[in-house]
Amino acid sequence: MDCLKRSPSFKLTHWLVVLVAVVHSTSGLYEDQIGKFDWRQHYVGKVKFGGFDSSSLDRIIVATESNALAAISAKSGDILWRQVLEKSPRGDIKLLHVPNPGNGVQASGRSSNRAFDVVTVTGASPAMVRGWNSNTGSLEWEWSLLPSAPEKAEHAFWFVAEGSLYHVVPVWGSHIELTEYMVSTGQQAKPTTTRISAAWIKEGKCTIADRFFACGMEQQVLAIDLLADNPQIVAKPLETMALDSPRAVPGEAAIVQDDIMYSLESDFKLALGAEGSALVDDNILEGERVLLRSSVDRARNVLQVSARKLSDNSALEAIEFVADYGETFGSPDLIAVRCKTTGGNGPRGQLACRVLISSKDGALTLIQQGKAKWTREEALADVETADFLDLTLSDAEGAIEEELNNKNGDVFGALQRRITSQISHVKNLVLHVLGLGPAPSKAQKAGLVRDDFGLHKMLVVVTSTGKVFGIDNISGKQHWARYLPEMIGFANGQSIKLMVQRTSRFYPLSAQCLILGRHRDNKNGLIYQFNPITGQPVNGGIVQLPYKIRQASLLHETGPDFLRGVLLLDENNEAHVLPDSLAKYANNFYMFSADRESATIRGYLVEYRNGKLSTVPTWTVDLSGAGKTQQIIAIEGKNPIEHVHSQGRVLADRSVLYKYINPNLIAVATHGPDNIHKYILNVYLLDVVSGSIVFSMSHKRIRPPLQMVHSENWLVYSYYNDKVRRTEVTSVELYEGKTQTNSTVWSSLDAPPMPLVERQSYVLPVAVATMQETITEKGITNKHILFGLTTGAVVEMSWALLDPRRPVTSPEKAREEGIIPYMPELPMPHEIIINYNQTIANIKGIHTAPSGLESTCLVFVHGLDIFVTRVAPSKTFDLLKEDFDYFLITVVLILLTSTSYVVKIFASKKVIKQAWK
């Protein structure tokens, strides 16, 4: 029996082997693929408030317009931690208080070595007051305030003074209500709310500056000290009429009105200039308040920061500097400053300062000792539109294209050019090896040349601040940036438009794009034409139009230089074409315009006669309903570059069910209240040429958000079902039947037959933020739907799961067609999440584009973060796998070739022997 006993060392070895086996089995299967075909970049958004953390020299606390609270490293600009708050308006940050060593706010009972709390106030009804640990970003405490009058709380202000939190509620034209709270507990410090008479306050004209409530009224600024025992009105005369509300100066009881700074406690006044800003800090010099002023010299593209002591108005040259300021940056705002003494204390010590600047375009820059230490392009946290553009050809491929483009029918000339070209290639190769070759082009140096599979593209991104970026979709590098300060989006929430007039496929002509928006001041149309590969402006760049734009569309035909014109419809329903030389291609062009408020859609026919364009109203559709309560909430058309590969669907009996493929079809969704069902959502499929409604469907007790995808012969849209409180997805498919009306050219004017409609609804376990379909070069690859979820995941859903023809009964017939039996719940396995664990905060949109490979689709997802990847809905059927054994196939080919030669020798000998017999 003793021989059967196990020694302790044997047992230990046994358990170690088991442990290693278990740990090894938990490793990721595709871990080596992470970051190979995708990348993600984190952002926080345009900074609204900020300050240096007193507990760390390497931490900057910022609150942004994208409802994010974050800590940024002062050394590198990296995000140390980030908290994404609720969406607007509930998550709008009203106040950020970053405490200094002397006025820090701490929770009771906390040990002295813990960090001070960073205090934020978000929302209005209710208002959430939170305290955050500045080291880790964790939530320490929170309390909420539910106002008795929510309509008043929307315009409330907050400020911290002497360790207390003050809530200021203005009652316009009457008085101001002031309430004091304990910061960390939310207890009211005084039993009653203080009412301060102020009949002069008006909505949209006031702000909080330190403890003063200030308003710009006609030609003066009126302010009142909210914490004074006997508040008195302070009046400051203005040089011009006050058009906008004044801006508060951080750190000081002062405001900026019409580019002039006015102190509310003294007679101090300072002209800042058109692009100037001011900041007051009392920690630079002990016992001194220092005023920092910034100004921009656009002629030299430099930023000048001057400083002076407020006590004696003397200059402080020790911290003044001049730094480079790029032309792609907007007007700067001084956010925070931190200085320390270097080289010892006393008269020999020198001040070393870090200044945090947020520019109007969204860029966040830290300047240290007169030099930019780092810059974050936070405009990319608010992307409005984007597109993938093909890159230019390499120098060698360009030479071949030039040779092939010379088609004059001269055979001997073509032979001569071919020989000359080959000699030139050999010469360039030799010179390149010797290091004496010609200098490559700029695109060649930057690596911006087209690859064999068309996977390398330029990603052009347009942001809401008017900044445009050219980003490499492989590496994520920003190759160029342009700032358009005068451009804004359209009314009714319509964003800035990006249109591709010419791609890079027409060598040697360069690509050309157009950005369409409105002028910030007069609201007229504004156009910017540029080369998307280099970012350089074309034809002068910005073009200001003398009219407002109602509708815009690219023409179908191109001119002799392969440039597509842009057809514009102004507010008077007059048509214009840019450039004017392409106006003739707009003849017999149909377009439409929609009014969201009245739910009215109008169709127009554009005609070109005698060198002039004219528009003819053709139809009008009113979708507002009987009670005129419906409003348009979404309009979705088809992708203009989409190709339909198959015109029909093969059924189980081998017959063909032809698709209803109408290129003029748009999907329109209206939403409004109802006396019986609370809310009603109506979905229409409308032909914009004839104005006929092809199909309509109503959903009762449905609330937004609504997301739609319209492609080929189907429509998919998601919504929130208020009755059962869940997110649902409805898919609709249109078919002509088993006989096709016209297989060559579709015409909406020939009264095509009404389609056969298949529809089905499904249940999603999560909320949908955005939707988009995949697209490929020829349309052969299966279509998948990309769902951007509110959880930050992007899900690739197969069309087979959303197919409206999934049968509820008799699945045997559907099995012949390969259709899955109907189940109301859509599965969400982890394998279909294309961004795996790389969560994208606040997803806003998804853009897809085809690549050179038919199997692969390029995907760009944007929100608070941006994410780029590629998907293959039908797998990579046109590409070898990464683990393809090239060595084995080479050895096999060599062996087969060698064997064939050996067999050939033996066969010839055999033939000779047989001949001698």
Side-chain angles (χ1 to χ4, degrees), residues 122 334 472 507 586 641 691 815 850 865 871:
T122 57
L334 295 174
D472 194 316
Y507 188 87
I641 64 173
R815 193 176 297 116
D865 307 321
V871 295

Side-chain angles (χ1 to χ4, degrees), residues 130-167:
R130 297 181 173 102
W132 308 87
N133 187 294
S134 60
N135 288 332
T136 61
S138 59
L139 181 64
E140 299 285 351
W141 48 264
E142 73 173 352
W143 53 274
S144 62
L145 176 64
L146 186 63
S148 57
E151 65 279 359
K152 299 179 182 178
E154 294 293 334
H155 307 284
F157 299 92
W158 299 80
F159 69 95
V160 174
E162 300 176 357
S164 297
L165 179 65
Y166 292 89
H167 185 209

Side-chain angles (χ1 to χ4, degrees), residues 297-423:
D297 186 355
R298 288 296 180 184
R300 298 184 298 160
N301 286 330
V302 295
L303 173 70
Q304 301 174 351
V305 175
S306 59
R308 63 175 64 188
K309 302 177 184 178
L310 288 179
S311 58
D312 56 4
N313 200 22
S314 61
L316 187 60
E317 299 179 356
I319 61 175
E320 294 182 349
F321 62 86
V322 177
D324 293 334
Y325 199 72
E327 61 180 5
T328 61
F329 294 156
S331 302
D333 285 331
L334 295 174
I335 301 297
V337 61
R338 166 69 67 86
C339 296
K340 66 177 181 178
T341 305
T342 61
N345 298 324
R348 294 185 178 181
Q350 294 182 353
L351 284 175
C353 294
R354 290 174 173 174
V355 181
L356 184 67
I357 295 177
S358 175
S359 56
K360 195 172 182 180
D361 63 290
L364 185 65
T365 305
L366 183 71
I367 298 179
Q368 180 176 332
Q369 297 299 97
K371 295 183 179 180
K373 191 173 181 65
W374 49 259
T375 299
R376 294 183 57 88
E377 293 287 358
E378 294 300 336
L380 289 170
D382 199 1
V383 175
E384 289 203 346
T385 184
D387 204 349
F388 290 89
L389 276 300
D390 290 325
L391 296 174
T392 57
L393 296 175
S394 63
D395 297 342
E397 292 175 340
I400 296 175
E401 287 291 333
E402 288 182 355
E403 178 187 347
L404 295 177
N405 286 337
N406 195 348
K407 301 176 181 179
N408 53 8
D410 185 5
V411 178
F412 295 100
L415 177 61
Q416 181 183 0
R417 288 192 300 272
R418 170 83 302 199
I419 296 174
T420 305
S421 175
Q422 294 294 344
I423 295 174

